[in-house]
């Protein structure tokens, strides 16, 4: 019998850092370890046990989670397609996050044959000059575009991910148009969180709160075209902006009329902006479990505890889900139930993940009373 107290605690996305190894050294990467630490990645047997635990957890929910094979660069892992096959066989929806540079005709066929539901390819600019600077490898843009072409040839659905910084924010619409011309189904926009290598980048390339606010409005304008699915990650205040800009009502009208709607992954259901611990988990390459990949609060380890016990039993996850302990202006904001503020940026700025979002320009009326 299902525990009714757990009915709202639905794990929708599990991001797994399948390997720390990567062929790039991106300036904004969350990882700190070098490729030499790849020997500490979960073994094939340990990885299979994690997937089995995820399937077990999913059976107790109304839906099976999506398992995103991430990294590092997951294509550096030799048993990747064996593990994807296992996830698929257990009813889990597999997805793949890659930099695209290792996708040739052979790999694209493997991805297609494996049943991966969607591939995300990171493009941090619409031109080689901008992308290669952030990726810190000449030719990475051209190779990523080639990889996307191979995926398209195999009719593998793909989305474009971009992490916004001062260096590339002016190319947001250009990246959107590039994604559309390439045949992408979605554009996911990541707002920089100062963790890992991104800590040093934050001092020079982090957008100001006011710049973030303007970019949210710009994204809303692109989202309103209805051409591609749009999702903002680590920018929870977007849920406020789409309501202020009138996009939310149009989106819900499309859902209720049976039409396909863009945004929030295309699911159409209302969602809180920050999903850390609410609908998302991140498992590191050594099995440590975190609320998300940008919030280094260790909630347990899958080699020591069952994933379901961590998901339902972690006190840190419970605090984030509840939201009643949010501090500062986030605690009194009228939008806190749909936004929540980025817990990762709050932690990076203050060491307290319940502190107010430091990169939100909005001042709620409640905070001035």
């Amino acid at each position: 019998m299902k525990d009714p107290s757990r009915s709202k605690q639905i794990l929708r996305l599990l991001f797994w850092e399948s390997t720390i190894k990567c062929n790039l050294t991106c300036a904004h990467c969350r990882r700190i370890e070098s490729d030499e630490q790849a020997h500490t990645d979960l073994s094939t047997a340990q990885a299979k046990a994690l997937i089995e635990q995820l399937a077990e957890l999913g059976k107790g929910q109304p839906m099976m989670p999506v398992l995103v094979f991430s990294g590092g660069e997951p294509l550096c892992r030799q048993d990747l397609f064996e593990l994807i096959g296992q996830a698929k066989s257990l009813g889990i929806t597999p997805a793949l996050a890659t930099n695209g540079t290792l996708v040739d005709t052979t790999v694209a066929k493997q991805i297609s044959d494996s049943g991966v539901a969607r591939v995300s390819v990171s493009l941090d600019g619409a031109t080689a000059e901008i992308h290669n600077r952030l990726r810190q490898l000449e030719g990475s843009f051209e190779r990523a575009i080639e990889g996307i072409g191979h995926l398209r040839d195999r009719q593998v659905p793909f989305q474009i991910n971009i992490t916004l910084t001062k260096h590339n924010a002016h190319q947001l619409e250009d990246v959107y148009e590039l994604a559309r011309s390439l045949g992408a189904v979605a554009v996911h926009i990541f707002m920089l969180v100062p963790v890992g290598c991104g800590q040093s980048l934050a001092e020079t390339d982090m957008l100001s709160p006011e710049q973030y606010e303007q970019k949210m409005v710009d994204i809303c304008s692109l989202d309103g075209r209805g051409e591609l699915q749009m999702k903002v990650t680590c920018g929870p205040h977007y849920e406020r902006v789409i309501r202020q800009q009138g996009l939310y009502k149009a989106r819900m009208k499309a859902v209720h009329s049976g039409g396909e709607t863009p945004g929030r992954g295309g699911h159409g259901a209302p969602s809180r902006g920050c999903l850390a611990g609410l609908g998302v988990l991140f498992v590191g390459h050594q099995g440590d479990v975190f609320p998300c990949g940008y919030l280094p609060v260790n909630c347990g380890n899958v080699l020591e505890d069952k994933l379901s016990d961590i998901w339902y039993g972690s006190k840190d996850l419970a605090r984030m889900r509840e939201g009643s302990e949010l501090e500062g202006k986030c605690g009194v904001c009228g939008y806190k139930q749909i936004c929540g503020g980025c817990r990762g940026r709050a932690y990076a700025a203050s060491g307290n993940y319940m502190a107010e979002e430091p990169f939100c320009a909005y001042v709620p009326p409640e905070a001035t009373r």
Side-chain angles (χ1 to χ4, degrees):
M1 180 180 294
K2 296 180 181 178
D3 184 348
S5 67
R6 298 181 173 187
S7 61
K8 293 184 178 180
Q9 299 175 22
I10 299 176
L11 178 59
R12 300 179 182 275
L13 284 166
L14 181 79
F15 292 88
W16 175 40
E17 185 182 39
S18 58
T19 179
I20 200 66
K21 190 173 183 180
C22 187
N23 61 317
L24 301 181
T25 55
C26 303
H28 53 280
C29 184
R30 63 164 299 280
R31 73 171 187 157
I32 300 175
E33 300 97 325
S34 65
D35 283 0
E36 284 70 30
Q37 295 300 310
H39 70 278
T40 62
D41 292 344
L42 294 184
S43 67
T44 299
Q46 291 169 335
K48 286 186 174 181
L50 166 62
I51 294 170
E52 289 171 359
Q53 289 184 41
L54 181 60
E56 180 184 350
L57 191 159
K59 289 176 183 177
Q61 301 185 155
M63 60 170 286
M64 270 288 183
V66 173
L67 174 56
V68 181
F69 290 81
S70 184
E73 173 50 58
L75 290 172
C76 290
R77 186 167 177 130
Q78 294 185 345
D79 60 358
L80 176 66
F81 292 105
E82 178 183 352
L83 298 175
I84 290 174
Q86 184 207 15
K88 184 80 172 175
S89 70
L90 293 175
I92 297 169
T93 300
L96 179 65
T98 175
N99 59 47
T101 62
L102 300 179
V103 180
D104 56 17
T105 54
T106 300
V107 172
K109 184 178 187 303
Q110 287 178 295
I111 293 172
S112 177
D113 292 346
S114 71
V116 166
R118 185 184 291 186
V119 176
S120 65
V121 179
S122 298
L123 288 181
D124 288 317
T127 60
E129 178 189 3
I130 298 295
H131 176 89
N132 291 347
R133 177 179 166 186
L134 277 167
R135 293 282 150 174
Q136 300 187 153
L137 179 67
E138 286 302 315
S140 58
F141 178 80
E142 294 84 353
R143 287 165 60 188
I145 295 295
E146 287 179 13
I148 288 170
H150 294 311
L151 292 173
R152 185 178 60 240
D153 291 344
R154 284 286 172 180
Q155 298 184 320
V156 176
F158 66 91
Q159 69 185 48
I160 299 302
N161 291 355
I162 175 173
T163 299
L164 281 189
T165 68
K166 287 182 180 177
H167 186 61
N168 65 9
H170 66 285
Q171 285 199 336
L172 173 62
E173 185 170 357
D174 293 333
V175 170
Y176 175 93
E177 292 296 349
L178 176 60
R180 196 165 66 88
S181 69
L182 291 171
V185 297
V187 175
H188 285 204
I189 299 147
F190 289 69
M191 297 301 187
L192 183 65
V193 180
V195 297
C197 299
Q199 286 178 305
S200 58
L201 187 68
E203 298 178 5
T204 56
D205 268 26
M206 195 88 172
L207 295 172
S208 69
E210 293 73 23
Q211 289 170 325
Y212 266 122
E213 188 76 8
Q214 183 55 54
K215 282 301 153 187
M216 295 289 182
V217 174
D218 294 344
I219 293 166
C220 189
S221 177
L222 294 173
D223 198 349
R225 296 181 186 180
E227 299 166 330
L228 295 172
Q229 294 175 7
M230 299 284 287
K231 185 174 185 294
V232 180
T233 298
C234 301
H237 20 312
Y238 186 63
E239 291 298 327
R240 164 180 55 82
V241 172
I242 63 172
R243 286 161 173 81
Q244 292 175 325
Q245 297 292 316
L247 178 62
Y248 183 77
K249 288 184 179 180
R251 175 181 293 166
M252 289 300 102
K253 182 177 180 181
V255 173
H256 295 309
S257 66
E260 187 174 352
T261 181
R264 308 302 303 161
H267 301 301
S271 169
R272 195 167 84 182
C274 183
L275 296 176
L278 185 68
V280 167
L281 272 185
F282 181 92
V283 177
H285 73 112
Q286 295 176 302
D288 293 318
V289 179
F290 303 94
C292 79
Y294 303 99
L295 180 52
V297 175
N298 197 319
C299 299
N301 188 291
V302 295
L303 301 182
E304 302 168 2
D305 303 292
K306 288 179 61 177
L307 183 64
S308 58
D309 290 342
I310 297 171
W311 175 245
Y312 293 117
S314 167
K315 292 182 180 179
D316 287 309
L317 295 179
R319 286 185 74 196
M320 291 179 208
R321 289 187 190 114
E322 177 61 28
S324 61
E325 296 182 45
L326 287 172
E327 300 174 9
K329 66 180 182 180
C330 285
V332 299
C333 184
Y335 290 103
K336 72 176 182 179
Q337 293 302 321
I338 58 167
C339 172
C342 176
R343 299 300 95 217
R345 278 195 293 271
Y347 184 85
S350 66
N352 173 14
Y353 61 74
M354 298 306 288
E356 68 178 45
E357 155 74 68
F359 284 87
C360 176
Y362 178 70
V363 178
E366 296 86 351
T368 59
R369 293 171 185 168

